[in-house]
Amino acid sequence: AVSLESKRLAKGVDGGKGAGAMLEELDIANLTVSKVEDAALLIESIFKLCQFQRDGIEMLSPNKRYWQACLTTVHIACFNPSSVGAILWDHHPTVKSLLLSLIMGVSCFPPIPGLAPHPGVPEGIDIEGTQQMLAAADARAIEAAKRIAAAMPISDQEKMVLLVQLDNAILMDPSSPARRPPQEVYDRLKSVEAESNLGNVLRMSRSPDLLLEAIRLHGPDSSKCVGWLTPILERYPATVDALPELTISQMLLADIKHQVTTELSSVLPQSSSNRSSGAEARKRQKNELNRMVARLARPLAKGEAGCNAPLELFASL
């Protein structure tokens, strides 16, 4: 079924149907991709569908189509993390940044500040420099494509439309360094997340364990994850069962520090409504703490390595 879907996408534009319409027709929720080779073919077909379908300029994609392809593959990856998700995570940096945004519940680029640059980026080039490098490569490709388009044996009207489309095109190289998504892409992600809880679907994946991978990307100090993990645990308490012991310990430590601050501020007069909301917040925090402590107290499964770091962390208090 996946192979047939890939072939249908590959033939779509040639058959006169627009790329956007083809992607919208995909039954993503019921598209099961179990084989890695099928996943690779499907991803390739989606991005190829969004390229210009004319000889000599097929290396470019209209801006809107490119981001539609990214969002489509993100959506498919959520339901097929071990095949489509694994390939996108390892080989498509731009889509990986969108997956990270969903996992972390953030809408910024890069989703992890200070994240190590793409291997293909020259040493010393930061995020802004990388975006400038990508824009310069786009500009060179667009100028070359415009020269080719100007010589095409098509009507003046078709030529004018094509040249306008090329003005806002993107060089089609999914494996290039991550591009900064426009705000409308984040808005669409938020909308889909609100409807389908895709971020939680990704966090529940254990093969690969994308939540753990997102935490590891922050480096050895997982306390940097406390800020984005806290609201996630408030909404999805079961997420704690998938967290490393050290991360849970660092979250407990952060909560202890917060409790001290709260106790100090509690001496100030408060209205009855503030006292009520404060009591609800404390009850919620107590439930979260109990769940974290229970997770730390869980006996190690057979073959599971222990972790001394949490004990050392609390011993330092």
Side-chain angles (χ1 to χ4, degrees):
V2 175
S3 180
L4 289 174
E5 195 67 71
S6 300
K7 290 177 181 178
R8 186 181 72 84
L9 290 173
K11 293 179 180 178
V13 174
D14 291 338
K17 185 169 284 190
M22 294 289 292
L23 292 178
E24 288 172 5
E25 288 178 1
L26 279 173
D27 186 9
I28 293 174
N30 293 313
L31 187 61
T32 302
V33 190
S34 54
K35 295 181 179 179
V36 173
E37 55 267 30
D38 286 341
L41 178 61
L42 183 62
I43 294 168
E44 181 184 358
S45 299
I46 288 172
F47 279 101
K48 196 169 184 179
L49 176 68
C50 294
Q51 296 173 209
F52 283 102
Q53 305 296 312
R54 293 182 182 274
D55 291 341
I57 64 170
E58 64 274 5
M59 79 293 269
L60 289 164
S61 168
N63 188 293
K64 187 176 180 180
R65 279 192 207 165
Y66 172 80
W67 289 110
Q68 187 178 9
C70 288
L71 287 171
T72 299
T73 54
V74 164
H75 205 165
I76 296 173
C78 291
F79 294 101
N80 299 274
S82 62
S83 55
V84 177
I87 291 175
L88 293 171
W89 190 270
D90 291 337
H91 303 292
H92 293 248
T94 299
V95 179
K96 178 180 180 178
S97 78
L98 295 175
L99 291 171
L100 273 170
S101 293
L102 275 176
I103 292 169
M104 297 169 59
V106 299
S107 297
C108 58
F109 182 86
I112 302 176
L115 187 62
H118 187 271
V121 176
E123 189 175 351
I125 303 293
D126 60 9
I127 290 294
E128 292 306 318
T130 301
Q131 298 309 300
Q132 293 170 10
M133 185 179 73
L134 291 169
D138 288 344
R140 289 192 296 271
I142 288 170
E143 286 306 310
K146 281 185 173 181
R147 289 194 293 270
I148 294 172
M152 286 181 179
I154 55 178
S155 69
D156 290 342
Q157 185 175 359
E158 287 180 297
K159 195 171 294 186
M160 183 175 65
V161 170
L162 181 56
L163 289 172
V164 169
Q165 289 178 327
L166 284 170
D167 273 330
N168 197 28
I170 285 179
L171 189 59
M172 181 58 76
D173 182 8
S175 63
S176 69
R179 292 177 178 272
R180 176 180 281 110
Q183 184 56 46
E184 51 264 33
V185 170
Y186 286 123
D187 292 342
R188 179 57 184 155
L189 270 185
K190 282 183 181 179
S191 175
V192 174
E193 164 68 3
E195 295 169 5
S196 309
N197 293 326
L198 293 184
N200 197 47
V201 173
L202 286 172
R203 289 189 291 271
M204 289 171 62
S205 169
R206 300 281 77 86
S207 180
D209 192 331
L210 296 178
L211 177 59
L212 183 58
E213 289 298 319
I215 292 171
R216 283 174 176 165
L217 285 173
H218 287 74
D221 183 8
S222 58
S223 65
K224 297 174 184 176
C225 304
V226 172
W228 59 268
L229 275 172
T230 299
I232 288 172
L233 288 173
E234 289 177 358
R235 186 175 180 187
Y236 303 103
T239 304
V240 73
D241 295 330
L243 294 178
E245 284 83 353
L246 178 57
T247 303
I248 296 173
S249 300
Q250 287 168 329
M251 295 192 73
L252 284 169
L253 180 59
D255 194 271
I256 290 170
K257 291 178 179 178
H258 173 73
Q259 293 284 6
V260 171
T261 304
T262 302
E263 290 298 325
L264 289 174
S265 63
S266 65
V267 297
L268 299 175
Q270 294 181 334
S271 67
S272 59
S273 62
N274 283 343
R275 285 195 295 271
S276 175
S277 62
E280 292 174 3
R282 285 192 292 276
K283 182 178 179 182
R284 188 168 58 250
Q285 288 172 346
K286 182 180 179 181
N287 290 337
E288 292 167 11
L289 285 169
N290 286 339
R291 192 172 188 113
M292 288 184 190
V293 171
R295 168 69 177 82
L296 286 174
R298 185 194 69 187
L300 291 176
K302 186 177 180 181
E304 185 177 357
C307 180
N308 293 325
L311 299 177
E312 294 168 0
L313 185 66
F314 283 104
S316 66
L317 290 177

